Amino acid sequence: STTEIQEFPMPEIAQDAALLKMEIAGICGTDVKLYKTPPNAEPVIMGHENIGYIAKAGSEFTARKGFKEGDLVFIEHYVGCMKCEWCHKGEYRHCANTDWRSNPDGIRYGYTSADKPPHLWGGWAEYVYVDLEELPGTKIYKLPDDMSLLLGSLSEPLTSCIRGFNRAIRANGFKWGDTVVIQGTGPIGILAIAAAQEMGAGRVIAVGAPETPRLALARAFGAEATVDIETHVTAEARIKAVRDIVGGYGADVVMDCSGHPTAGPEGIEFLRDGGTYIEMGQFTDAGPIMTNWHRICTKDITLLGSWAFTANDLVLGVDMLDRARDKYPWRRMQTLFPFTLDGVKDAVAQAMAMKTVKSTIVPFEDMI
């Protein structure tokens, strides 16, 4: 794919719409993968971890959502059609409109073609158009008044981790004091280390690379130990290293945040018999991998898939950040890049090369 800067006219604001002045847009691991294999909806203004101030709002928008001009908010990019059976069940993240893979013509923030007026559908821009007529299922959340923009921008990715662990808790597969192994030390992996501790983990071990900046940051976030996949280059070596740390029986819980197709078969061997494996890293399709399902059976494990989050989960993400704002070095995760052609290219390239943990675009230069 190619990256270029385009200008669009400032849209007129309908009564059931608002214009969000962007302040922070995180680069998600999904953005990086889609950058390599773009959706069919090109050209796309990417960016779905969007924090900004309401610059203009129509009267119906204010009446329906309760937000006014000047409020600091973020919008959820999973937008259900509010008409299908999934939406009626409250499971809107399974609505076809939320899935850019099977429905590239659907409308969603961060994935919709910029050819569609009023064009401003993604956060890698100075403004985002929030349209309740086109997207009636839009979820909007107000951040605490004293929460920094940078901290608030972590709400969406942190929430994905919280939901994954809550899935395990509901399955009786994650208990207070459990030993947790996190596969992957990208932004989701680092946030999962914090979420695991906040939700009751007794010990947390991280498996990933490189040492700088990612494994060092994992330990700063509270990982008791890290296993470097660049040092332990085979699955057998990593399995032994993890089991040497956690004890011969294995970990109680393993969460895959890596997105690598080999993570599952390897991570299952990190687990103790009767343990719980949470798969939330395969957010984009990395392809098949040979798996011996006999191991799933004989190890008697619980295997859970976790796809993103719901509206109820996002409130938990904001609350956790608010409560633990001084407990973890959140700011060390984020590397800021200007909203220029070179800045965006550099942000994505450094994320791909794992030189940053969380590349973050700031549309206005006074933020840097």
Side-chain angles (χ1 to χ4, degrees):
S1 68
T2 59
T3 302
E4 61 183 66
I5 299 291
Q6 292 189 15
E7 292 188 0
F8 298 97
M10 187 69 78
E12 294 291 328
I13 307 303
Q15 291 305 305
D16 51 4
L19 194 65
L20 189 68
K21 181 183 177 184
M22 286 299 303
E23 296 290 345
I24 294 287
I27 295 182
C28 177
T30 306
D31 290 325
V32 172
K33 293 180 177 72
L34 290 177
Y35 198 83
K36 298 177 182 178
T37 308
N40 295 330
E42 280 194 298
V44 172
I45 300 175
M46 296 176 72
H48 57 265
E49 298 176 2
N50 304 328
I51 302 288
Y53 291 95
I54 296 177
K56 295 182 181 179
S59 57
E60 186 175 337
F61 176 92
T62 299
R64 287 174 62 181
K65 293 297 183 181
F67 298 112
K68 61 184 185 303
E69 293 178 5
D71 283 346
L72 178 64
V73 300
F74 71 97
I75 55 175
E76 181 186 349
H77 62 285
Y78 289 103
V79 182
C81 67
M82 310 311 289
K83 299 175 182 178
C84 70
E85 184 176 355
W86 286 116
C87 287
H88 290 162
K89 288 177 177 290
E91 297 281 350
Y92 62 90
R93 70 187 179 287
H94 296 304
C95 170
N97 190 64
T98 70
D99 193 344
W100 69 89
R101 303 159 304 174
S102 62
N103 183 23
D105 296 325
I107 305 169
R108 58 195 73 87
Y109 300 107
Y111 300 99
T112 297
S113 173
D115 287 340
K116 178 179 175 56
H119 314 292
L120 304 177
W121 298 108
W124 297 6
E126 293 176 329
Y127 293 90
V128 171
Y129 190 82
V130 183
D131 190 339
L132 298 186
E133 178 180 6
E134 194 81 64
L135 297 169
T138 298
K139 306 292 191 302
I140 307 172
Y141 305 85
K142 188 176 185 300
L143 293 173
D145 291 336
D146 62 344
M147 180 176 284
S148 74
L149 293 167
L150 288 169
L151 184 61
S153 69
L154 298 175
S155 301
E156 192 263 10
L158 177 64
T159 297
S160 296
C161 304
I162 293 171
R163 181 175 185 270
F165 285 124
N166 271 333
R167 294 261 297 153
I169 290 170
R170 286 193 292 271
N172 201 33
F174 178 25
K175 304 179 183 66
W176 192 265
D178 274 356
T179 295
V180 176
V181 173
I182 304 297
Q183 291 178 283
T185 48
I188 295 295
I190 297 297
L191 291 170
I193 292 169
Q197 293 171 97
E198 292 301 301
M199 297 174 74
R203 306 172 66 193
V204 180
I205 292 87
V207 181
E211 168 61 28
T212 303
R214 296 190 168 187
L215 294 184
L217 188 60
R219 294 190 296 273
F221 264 74
E224 172 187 318
T226 54
V227 175
D228 190 339
I229 64 174
E230 294 178 347
T231 301
H232 301 81
V233 295
T234 66
E236 292 75 17
R238 292 188 287 271
I239 292 166
K240 182 180 185 305
V242 168
R243 283 182 168 267
D244 285 346
I245 295 167
V246 304
Y249 286 111
D252 300 299
V253 180
V254 176
M255 174 182 276
D256 171 35
C257 303
S258 71
H260 197 281
T262 63
E266 184 175 316
I268 286 171
E269 302 304 326
F270 296 163
L271 272 179
R272 65 168 173 82
D273 290 1
T276 300
Y277 192 86
I278 308 166
E279 178 55 77
M280 59 166 287
Q282 305 297 320
F283 205 80
T284 53
D285 189 351
I289 190 73
M290 287 293 293
T291 305
N292 186 346
W293 280 50
H294 176 65
R295 297 297 292 156
I296 297 173
C297 178
T298 58
K299 285 179 67 66
D300 204 33
I301 66 172
T302 299
L303 180 61
L304 297 170
S306 185
W307 174 257
F309 45 78
T310 69
N312 292 335
D313 300 312
L314 274 161
V315 178
L316 303 178
V318 175
D319 181 65
M320 184 179 291
L321 281 175
D322 197 22
R323 287 186 292 102
R325 61 171 65 187
D326 298 322
K327 193 172 178 180
Y328 302 96
W330 307 104
R331 179 63 183 86
R332 284 180 56 186
M333 285 186 64
Q334 297 164 303
T335 304
L336 305 187
F337 295 86
F339 182 59
T340 62
L341 185 59
D342 288 340
V344 171
K345 287 182 176 179
D346 192 25
V348 174
Q350 291 204 38
M352 286 182 175
M354 296 190 293
K355 293 181 179 179
T356 61
V357 175
K358 186 67 172 175
S359 292
T360 303
I361 296 172
V362 288
F364 297 94
E365 290 186 6
D366 57 357
M367 280 290 298
I368 295 185

